[in-house]
Amino acid sequence: MSNYTYDVGTDVKTYQQYIAGSFFSTADHIEVLNPCNEEVIALAPRGTKEDADKAVAAAKAAQPKWGLLPAVERAEYLKKMAQVIRENRVFLAETLATEQAKVMGLAQVEIDVTAVYFDYYAGMARSYEGEIIQSDRPNEQMMLHKLPIGVAVGICPWNFPFFVMARKIAPSLVTGNACVVKISEETPMVCLEFARLIENIGLPSGILSIITGYGHEVGQALSENPDVGIISLTGSVGAGQKVMEAAAKNITKVSLELGGKAPAIVCKDADLDLAVKAIVASRVIFSGQVCNCAERVYVEEEVYEEFMTKLLPAMKAVRVGDARTDAKADMSAQINKTQLLKIDELVKRAVEQGGEVLLGGRISSKFDKGYYYEPTVIANVEQDHTIMQDETFGPVLPVMKVSSFDQAIDFANDSEYGLTSSIYTNDINKILRATKELLFGETYVNRENFEAIQGFHAGFRKSGIGGADGKHGLEEYLQTKVMYIQQN
């Protein structure tokens, strides 16, 4: 047994690395803060290159035997993980809400959907398959097999740490890979609690490691390790570029889900009440810190004034509060001070460039401590303004009037990002045009921006390479081998 500190009554918890099924202490730690009150709530391991290399070495040694198991046997461990999550769902949601200021309702949704995600991929154990291909030669069989890549590394963000952790673990394990997950040092608690909870499910040693530390130390070491078969990262464009650079040395496969600047197009025939409700929900979910939610709005000029008269009171009604103590809060604090100041600087820059703040536009003065920013609406923006081009990742909504649907499409595509988009219209022709002309990995029609686990979450341009979820996400963790079998 480990000396892992996890008692619920402990004021400041000290965590350990979970490597190959065992817990290990580190010499140094990273303070984890509650963003709502800036108090230190935990000490997370500050991982090292040695930790990363140890986890990969254990994974490499354990993977061949794991890969030879029937997929349905590997899937049983995913089912056990789902069961453990459900048995501890409230505790895990409370942990998540505390370490990252996610309102309790959304925190509970993340925990519950993660359990579903493990079950979903367990159910795919019997469904992924190869092919038999017709040969050009007589008496020859051509068989296409899907094999595990070997060691899969998952590098996770801080905004949905628990769910994205599962996004890396579930498809990699069920397809026969061993997995090393590097979780964010900003929000490590819920994932390391998960490691504790699965300690006794019987997972073979070496198959799964969950470690943390700084990206430039642990993430870099994992990315440049020659024994890694795939690196799946969810994070910023800058982080993706560093991973690609490191992976290039070994020609390691990468799957990257990066930033976004999601446009929302409101057409003149749209149901404006529906559009306002969906866009506000898509902007303030997790205090605006979601890469696939609405970051900029284009409204056809015929309905612009009416749309704004509905949008402003809806944004003003958003309740901001402490994630753990305010059950009615719609959003809470930003993850840290750096993020808070970045949002404030972008808003100030918008004003300098001619934008008009109609609501909010400043760090909240309502709270004595914590990293709170007011829900904000900015008008009089232009396409080349920074607020319309750079990812804000906060509760800030710039709105621009456009002269036509064509202009809206052009402006929407005028971005280095291409993750998600949305359109509000009852015109089937516009919807069909958006299918082909909106150059984004996902387009939501007349609904909020939130993906389904059976879909495929992927981006165009600098928003990423590859993707996650569904049967296509499973393919990321497989490599193809063709057998040519000549009969004598």
Side-chain angles (χ1 to χ4, degrees), residues 134-168:
Q134 296 300 318
S135 174
D136 294 338
R137 297 184 177 188
N139 299 320
E140 183 178 70
Q141 292 286 336
M142 291 177 60
M143 298 181 181
L144 187 152
H145 294 263
K146 294 292 185 177
L147 303 177
I149 289 176
V151 177
V153 163
I155 301 178
C156 302
W158 49 258
N159 61 341
F160 283 88
F162 201 63
F163 176 72
V164 177
M165 175 192 66
R167 238 180 191 164
K168 313 302 184 186

Side-chain angles (χ1 to χ4, degrees), residues 202-225:
L203 191 67
S205 175
I207 295 304
L208 177 62
S209 295
I210 301 174
I211 61 178
T212 191
Y214 293 119
H216 67 277
E217 295 173 341
V218 177
Q220 181 73 18
L222 291 171
S223 300
E224 62 188 17
N225 192 304

Side-chain angles (χ1 to χ4, degrees), residues 31-54:
E31 290 185 344
V32 181
L33 304 183
N34 179 339
C36 292
N37 58 24
E38 304 177 50
E39 293 179 358
V40 177
I41 52 176
L43 298 177
R46 178 174 176 173
T48 62
K49 182 181 185 300
E50 288 71 26
D51 291 337
D53 290 346
K54 182 177 181 179

Side-chain angles (χ1 to χ4, degrees), residues 340-352 373:
L340 181 71
L341 295 178
K342 172 198 167 187
I343 295 167
D344 196 45
E345 285 301 314
L346 283 169
V347 171
K348 289 177 180 177
R349 177 64 174 157
V351 173
E352 290 173 359
Y373 202 85

